[in-house]
Amino acid sequence: MSSPQFREPLIEVKDLYVYFYTYAGVVKAIEDMTFTIYKGEKFCMVGETGCGKSVTSRALANIVPSPGRIVKGKVIYYRDGKPINILELSEEQLREIRGKEIAYIVQDPSSALDPLYTIGYQIVETMIDHYTVKDWKEGYKRAVELLREVLMPDPEQRIKNYPHELSGGQRQRAVISIGLSNMPRLLIADEPTSSLDVTVQAQLLELLRRLVREHGLTLFLITHDMGVVAEMCDRVAVLYAGNIVELAPVDEIFKNPKHPYTMGLLRAVPNPQADIEKLEPIPGTIPNLIYPPPGCRFHPRCPFARDVCKREKPPLVEVGPGHYVRCWLHAE
Amino acid sequence: MADIKRFLARRALTFIPTLIGVTFLAYIIAFAIPANPAQAWAGGIKANPEVVARIIKEYHLNDPWYVQYYYFMKGILTNSIIDPRWGYPVMTYMLSRFPITFQLTLFALFFLIVLGIPLGIVSALKKDSWIDALVRTWALVGVSVPIFWLGYIFIYVFFYQLGWINIAGIPYPKVHITGVPIIDAMLSGEWNIVWENIKRFILPGFTLGFAGIGVIARLVRNSFLEAINSDYIYFARMRGLKYRRIMTHALRNALVPVVTVLGLQFGGLLGGAPITETVFSIPGMGRAMVDAIFSMDFPLLIAGTFLVAIIYVITNLIVDILYAVIDPRVRF
């Protein structure tokens, strides 16, 4: 599935703008964001801290944290071929979608689980509130199965444990089984392994890949790790300062990166698909999004910056099959 | 549950140094009074020297302080110290007054819980609204206004002007089970006595609890806000849990610190009881202690201090147990 032609969209983001209204000013976290996730694919979003990856993922179920607000745009979710604009739903309709059709796996499982309830309870309540099990008894049975499926050791005992009694990896497994509990159509994993140590990371990524394959889920994975991207994804979107700068099938990104930022990113980490002699950092720092640079947001750090880059924002153009770039180098 | 027995035994042992410390301090303060208590007990300036000498011998008043203290504590523990003014054993006398003070404190605690907690929750949910401002003002006024002033104002308004309440006598039910009038009346179903007790105690209880209500409301507000803004509540929303269930999670987490402070407040209420009882002429333990101070009746005073200290440590024990019930991270 390296050249993905899943042409049935699951969720479409169109022209999305998310701003954060802080005391310091309006943080323009996401601007002009457009992408589609197709049914059954593994879609990755990669970028530095603060580039808007998480915010984008939260916007998919309209749960952007305060003081953030979606100021413009559409999020179209396809249920049985029927388009639904997520941003026009009532809070109760959204609640019914969240956790059931669009489920999240969060970055930090230690703070995401309520310390006062057993993990069994927290898995079961997620199902009870979506009516996917008939009662608590059935729920607990199901919770044991789920924990077994995410390879939690000794699941019958673990459901009685409180979060603080588990290790980091076990907690993340619990969070993953909460995400899976209602068999969502879209599973959003927001840096699911970055708070864990490397050996556990590899196990969990393998687990996620298996779960997605076996249950036919669609995965939206957020990461800052190009290695994870290479291992997990079908298509990848590279984010810089709230904009998608490049979107392409995963092989294309590694073999044929077009955007200077993507190229820089690949030179800054060990690339599994190209020989590079030494790692080079990208000069400069991420811009202040209250006063983002005019024109292309990357131009202050770009070795190829020209006059037009400082004045005008480049459009996202298709440069190859399914390969989009937002850069003046490729816009003409 | 074997754990809890060991925990209780261990905690009971720690009571001993606490109680010795408290009574010792009270004793030292009483000992430091530069007056001659024996003279006062025997009838003042014109007292019969023979009687004075007998009192000195009886209470070991000419012995060094540590001998005196020893006899005092022995006398209190065996209830063999006779009150020099009344001729009853001091502990018997204090214990007979205790139910009244306990009832007063229960009324105050009732207001703390039924007003403090809901006010806190409402002001958290409606942050920066008029009710939030009211609670903030209440907390400030509550700790600044002296109880006696507040008590007299309330008496003026509700007794003198409106005539809604009683301020004399304690209505006792016919039966004597626990000794606390309102509880006995409830147990025996004498509802008119219950009502009379409410009319008698509602104002002193409110006065005594007034400062605490504001403090508890502020604390509930802050810890509820902290809970609501926590990651696990955000994740609960991402899981699509129902509103009521999310609030239950937030509330239970918010109550962890509140239970501790309620326990401390209970002790504080006992400490405030002397003034309230004096203002409202309630014949409780606090009132007895104030009288004891005026008549230099320090056996009675130390007996009272001893009782209050016992109640205080028991309350703290109950708080510790409650703590473990609410928060699974706390174990014995």
Side-chain angles (χ1 to χ4, degrees), chain B residues 203-235:
Chain B
L203 210 52
F206 186 72
T207 309
L208 182 57
F210 186 79
I213 295 166
V215 171
I216 290 290
R218 282 297 286 173
L219 181 77
V220 170
R221 172 195 183 269
N222 291 344
S223 66
F224 194 67
L225 272 180
E226 197 187 309
I228 274 187
N229 291 319
S230 68
D231 282 2
Y232 51 81
I233 292 299
Y234 189 47
F235 187 51

Side-chain angles (χ1 to χ4, degrees), chain A residues 19-176:
Chain A
Y19 288 176
F20 282 74
Y21 294 85
T22 67
Y23 287 117
V26 179
V27 180
K28 300 169 187 73
I30 306 283
E31 283 197 332
D32 192 16
M33 176 81 76
T34 300
F35 65 92
T36 305
I37 299 175
Y38 295 101
K39 228 179 226 171
E41 75 169 335
K42 286 169 285 185
F43 184 78
C44 251
M45 201 164 254
V46 67
E48 289 163 279
T49 307
C51 72
K53 304 175 300 237
S54 294
V55 176
T56 308
S57 76
R58 311 275 151 104
L60 296 189
N62 197 0
I63 190 163
V64 173
S66 165
R69 273 223 308 273
I70 298 174
V71 288
K72 212 170 106 185
K74 278 186 185 151
V75 177
I76 311 287
Y77 167 62
Y78 291 90
R79 185 195 277 153
D80 308 322
K82 260 187 294 177
I84 299 166
N85 188 350
I86 292 274
L87 305 184
E88 284 167 359
L89 296 182
S90 71
E91 194 52 34
E92 178 59 20
Q93 287 169 316
L94 283 169
R95 183 191 78 70
E96 284 165 10
I97 288 180
R98 290 174 193 148
K100 186 178 181 191
E101 296 176 44
I102 300 178
Y104 288 89
I105 296 172
V106 288
Q107 183 174 356
D108 183 3
S110 356
S111 61
L113 294 167
D114 186 330
L116 305 187
Y117 291 85
T118 62
I119 59 159
Y121 182 95
Q122 297 187 56
I123 297 171
V124 181
E125 67 177 353
T126 316
M127 296 187 278
I128 292 278
D129 275 8
H130 290 293
Y131 309 105
T132 50
V133 287
K134 85 178 174 294
D135 53 21
W136 285 84
K137 205 172 152 224
E138 189 196 329
Y140 274 106
K141 244 187 241 157
R142 180 95 183 86
V144 172
E145 286 166 27
L146 281 164
L147 287 179
R148 185 167 294 129
E149 191 167 6
V150 300
L151 305 178
M152 179 80 93
D154 203 6
E156 288 86 357
Q157 294 308 309
R158 290 295 89 77
I159 56 165
K160 296 176 205 152
N161 282 134
Y162 291 94
H164 72 276
E165 295 167 331
L166 305 179
S167 71
Q170 289 176 330
R171 276 196 284 256
Q172 189 57 280
R173 285 174 205 274
V175 167
I176 292 176

